[in-house]
Amino acid sequence: HYISPPKNGCRYAMPKSLRNDDSFMKITIHQLPEGVHKFEETVRAGELHFYEENHFTSDVHLSFVLNKFGSNIKLHADLKTFGSYVCDKCLAEFNNEYEDSFEMVYYLGEKKLETDEDDVVILSPEEKEIDLSERIIESLVLGIPIKKICKEECKGICAHCGADMNHEKCKCPDAPVDPRWDKLRKMLK
């Protein structure tokens, strides 16, 4: 990883010294100077190690903005990747771009601050790093669509003959008409 000269603030790739290999995304906050710090990181596909990672075959691109002020660290994170799915209607494989962002506030201090907010985390003053792995995985898992459709106008496959109706016409003969409906059919004509 490289560190480029600061431009308009401080923008650089996250040096290895700010990561810990036990978890794919830990940021060292011990001795982090006050001010705004911008980091970018790419997590290689297959390094995530969670039960739905097979949907994410592309690298996950992450960018972070940490703003340390006093005993607080405000974090803004953006992530971008592609998800690979199989369409629920036509069984075709397709990729979807996935983008998400989240914000967290870390309070470094004794547990004097009480909050029930999910995006506020109270850390011990001795804490040396924050681990974003779970939050990133949570974002990816929640981004997996419940209904995976390749395109809005997908026609699916025929339940009888199996034809992909997006690419060919159904080969089924006209369904036999139930004779019990003949009188109603005559009335409609």
Side-chain angles (χ1 to χ4, degrees):
H1 295 275
Y2 63 91
I3 298 177
S4 63
K7 298 178 193 170
N8 297 336
C10 170
R11 186 168 190 87
Y12 47 89
M14 188 178 305
K16 284 221 183 250
S17 63
L18 293 178
R19 294 187 304 144
N20 182 326
D21 291 333
D22 295 344
S23 179
F24 71 85
M25 190 49 61
K26 287 186 179 181
I27 299 176
T28 301
I29 57 173
H30 180 67
Q31 298 179 344
L32 183 69
E34 290 214 6
V36 176
H37 307 275
K38 297 180 182 184
F39 303 102
E40 292 184 2
E41 183 70 24
T42 298
V43 178
R44 300 278 170 226
E47 290 182 6
L48 299 173
H49 306 297
F50 67 102
Y51 77 102
E52 291 286 350
E53 77 175 316
N54 61 322
H55 288 298
F56 300 100
T57 56
S58 298
D59 296 345
V60 180
H61 302 282
L62 305 159
S63 61
F64 305 102
V65 177
L66 276 81
N67 185 4
K68 183 174 182 187
F69 52 98
S71 298
N72 300 298
I73 298 174
K74 183 177 180 182
L75 167 86
H76 177 86
D78 293 309
L79 60 108
K80 188 176 186 177
T81 189
F82 284 90
S84 299
Y85 309 105
V86 174
C87 181
D88 291 339
K89 287 185 169 183
C90 69
L91 304 178
E93 293 183 6
F94 69 100
N95 291 325
N96 247 0
E97 185 175 38
Y98 176 71
E99 293 184 31
D100 191 23
S101 63
F102 59 89
E103 291 189 350
M104 303 286 291
V105 175
Y106 295 90
Y107 173 74
L108 300 166
E110 301 302 321
K111 298 201 179 223
K112 294 176 188 172
L113 177 71
E114 290 187 25
T115 180
D116 60 352
E117 296 290 326
D118 289 338
D119 57 352
V120 176
V121 178
I122 301 168
L123 298 174
S124 161
E126 292 83 34
E127 197 71 41
K128 299 202 182 312
E129 57 192 11
I130 52 177
D131 186 357
L132 298 174
S133 304
E134 283 187 35
R135 183 63 182 90
I136 292 167
I137 289 172
E138 177 183 294
S139 173
L140 291 170
V141 170
L142 291 175
I144 297 172
I146 293 171
K147 191 163 185 152
K148 299 164 188 76
I149 306 296
C150 61
K151 55 188 174 193
E152 229 176 275
E153 57 278 352
C154 179
K155 296 176 185 174
I157 59 174
C158 175
H160 300 288
C161 69
D164 182 348
M165 297 190 303
N166 294 315
H167 302 291
E168 59 184 301
K169 285 192 168 198
C170 178
K171 299 170 187 147
C172 294
D174 290 337
V177 178
D178 188 340
R180 294 176 288 181
W181 296 103
D182 282 343
K183 288 186 181 180
L184 180 61
R185 194 171 295 103
K186 287 177 187 175
M187 288 176 55
L188 293 174
K189 290 183 182 180

